[in-house]
Amino acid sequence: MRPIYLDYAATTPVDPEVAAVLAHYLTLDGVFANPASRSHLYGWQAEEAVETARGQVAALIGAEAREIVWTSGATEADNLAIKGVVAAYPERGRHIITSAIEHKAVLDSCRYLEGQGYRVTYLRPDAQGLIQPEQVAQALTDDTVLVSLMHVNNELGTVTDIEVVAGITRERGVLLHVDAAQSLGKLPLDMARMPVDLLSLSAHKTYGPKGVGALYVRRQPAVRLVPQIHGGGHERGMRSGTLPTHQIVAMGKACELAAVNLHQESARIGKLRERLWTGIASLEDVHLNGHPSQRVCGILNVAFGGVEGETLMLALNELAVSSGSACNSATVAPSYVVQSLGLDDRLALAAVRFSLGRFTTLEEVDAAVAVVRDTVSRLRG
Ligand SMILES: *Cc1c(COP(=O)(O)O)cnc(C)c1O
């Protein structure tokens, strides 16, 4: 028996409908050509498929197709957005605002820029994992060029009110980048209404394949970017490299499915998460990490008092979940995200992220509750 998969925030399985589409764009009897081949039918068909997918991704976020730049995932999109925009606007300043609970793709890009002489403010979340828009307003200076904040935190599931943040940055003439890898297909995103300038997307958190993503780059008012990958001038010069037609078409299909299912699916998964939490919460000394209501449907992060983190993770081997810790070479360190909530180290080390998704069933949730209850009770002796 394989463990119950409760790690959808790390990656989702590809939806079978998406996988079927993907397979059609690989072989000789399908559409396999280089979309940049302008001299024959094969290339034209591939280009048409890529443009259809661009429209599908754009439609899910209320953008125009030409505002979508294909990348290898959200990591590359974050890198391109942050490094690309500060390089394009040197006259606007050398100060960046982000938060201490961003994904490493954002934090490490900011650290790199610190080495290049930029100054970075890392906003601290409150005890429930929220970054408040007023914190952004207070941190802005005349030298601020960019604010980069995630929409949904990948460990806690907490949601940042990016609409309000966007209102603040727009009014101050500062650019806003949002990492939406965990909200795409889960929460409504509407670039026509939210003045976000750059939005990072990934396919594999929303039932598409790994290795493809996109950066939304606003056209009105236009945002300039200095490319970070040089080559054939693909994607209007912003990101060179032969487009992976099969991956792109699959991301388009995944976004199309997400658009159809978004509200119903979020409601169903939200109920399952509630059931999981209710089942676990009646154990004593368990702590919900993150905000109880300002959160995405599928993520539940819980710290268990009175148990040792590493022992707990080993004992939970019937569940495929994510631990609140990161293993470096010698020591086990608590997750920097969970730690930022102010938990002591021992409790932070005993944090578990459960993440549910499209294929999670009621039976799996009930089985998971039983496993957690048994395991924690047993370890507490
Ligand atoms: C998964 C994730 C990323 C990285 O996306 P890739 O497509 O795997 O590079 C970035 N940011 C957040 C919030 C994520 O959850």
Side-chain angles (χ1 to χ4, degrees), residues 9-10 72-78 102-106 150 152-154 179-182 200-205 210-213 353:
S72 61
T75 298
E76 189 193 330
D78 288 343
E102 296 302 305
H103 191 272
K104 284 287 184 189
V106 166
M150 67 207 319
V152 169
N153 183 273
N154 49 303
D179 181 336
Q182 292 289 346
S200 295
L201 308 172
S202 178
H204 77 96
K205 308 283 173 68
K210 291 171 248 315
V212 64
R353 179 188 69 184

Side-chain angles (χ1 to χ4, degrees), residues 44-115:
W44 304 332
Q45 286 179 334
E47 188 191 17
E48 194 186 327
V50 164
E51 293 317 312
T52 300
R54 206 187 293 277
Q56 289 167 320
V57 173
L60 183 56
I61 62 166
E64 288 175 42
R66 56 192 188 142
E67 294 176 309
I68 302 298
V69 175
W70 300 116
T71 66
S72 61
T75 298
E76 189 193 330
D78 288 343
N79 273 264
L80 174 57
I82 295 168
K83 296 180 205 164
V85 91
V86 300
Y89 296 91
E91 73 287 357
R92 287 206 189 171
R94 293 176 79 75
H95 177 230
I96 299 165
I97 299 171
T98 187
S99 88
I101 57 169
E102 296 302 305
H103 191 272
K104 284 287 184 189
V106 166
L107 290 179
D108 287 353
S109 295
C110 288
R111 290 260 181 255
Y112 166 78
L113 289 172
E114 282 182 300

Side-chain angles (χ1 to χ4, degrees), residues 99-359:
S99 88
I101 57 169
E102 296 302 305
H103 191 272
K104 284 287 184 189
V106 166
L107 290 179
D108 287 353
S109 295
C110 288
R111 290 260 181 255
Y112 166 78
L113 289 172
E114 282 182 300
Q116 306 291 305
Y118 288 83
R119 193 166 67 78
V120 181
T121 299
Y122 298 90
L123 301 175
R124 314 284 316 170
D126 64 21
Q128 294 183 310
L130 295 182
I131 303 289
Q132 302 293 354
E134 307 84 77
Q135 292 176 268
V136 176
Q138 278 164 19
L140 285 169
T141 70
D142 291 341
D143 197 42
T144 309
V145 53
L146 175 72
V147 173
S148 176
L149 290 174
M150 67 207 319
H151 189 196
V152 169
N153 183 273
N154 49 303
E155 290 192 39
L156 306 172
T158 45
V159 180
T160 307
D161 194 342
I162 57 166
E163 213 173 328
V164 175
V165 172
I168 294 167
T169 50
R170 175 58 58 88
E171 193 194 317
R172 292 285 298 262
V174 171
L175 293 163
L176 175 63
H177 165 246
V178 172
D179 181 336
Q182 292 289 346
S183 59
L184 182 70
K186 287 150 195 135
L187 294 175
L189 284 162
D190 186 1
M191 293 304 103
R193 212 166 42 80
M194 303 169 168
V196 170
D197 297 293
L198 299 146
L199 189 80
S200 295
L201 308 172
S202 178
H204 77 96
K205 308 283 173 68
T206 183
Y207 312 99
K210 291 171 248 315
V212 64
L215 180 66
Y216 157 83
V217 184
R218 183 172 291 281
R219 301 264 297 185
Q220 291 250 333
V223 176
R224 276 180 285 125
L225 284 179
V226 171
Q228 304 297 303
I229 295 181
H230 305 98
H234 306 74
E235 297 297 276
R236 283 180 280 103
M238 280 191 266
R239 199 278 192 175
S240 289
T242 301
L243 294 177
T245 313
H246 59 303
Q247 307 273 74
I248 285 170
V249 168
M251 182 171 182
K253 183 69 185 176
C255 287
E256 186 193 75
L257 293 180
V260 174
N261 290 332
L262 196 144
H263 294 283
Q264 251 185 320
E265 181 163 86
S266 298
R268 188 188 77 87
I269 295 169
K271 279 192 195 132
L272 290 179
R273 178 202 180 270
E274 228 27 66
R275 190 178 176 94
L276 179 61
W277 172 232
T278 308
I280 294 173
S282 55
L283 284 165
E284 306 222 320
D285 200 9
V286 293
H287 307 263
L288 177 72
N289 292 323
H291 196 274
S293 59
Q294 196 170 327
R295 58 168 176 79
V296 77
C297 57
I299 298 178
L300 175 67
N301 193 311
V302 181
F304 295 89
V307 294
E308 205 249 324
E310 236 178 318
T311 316
L312 176 65
M313 284 308 291
L314 287 172
L316 285 177
N317 62 359
E318 287 170 66
L319 308 179
V321 292
S322 181
S323 81
S325 59
C327 298
N328 326 28
S329 50
T331 57
V332 186
S335 140
Y336 63 92
V337 174
V338 174
Q339 212 169 19
S340 74
L341 306 177
L343 272 65
D344 68 56
D345 275 9
R346 194 179 148 76
L347 195 54
L349 279 168
V352 178
R353 179 188 69 184
F354 304 87
S355 49
L356 293 61
R358 182 170 294 169
F359 307 106

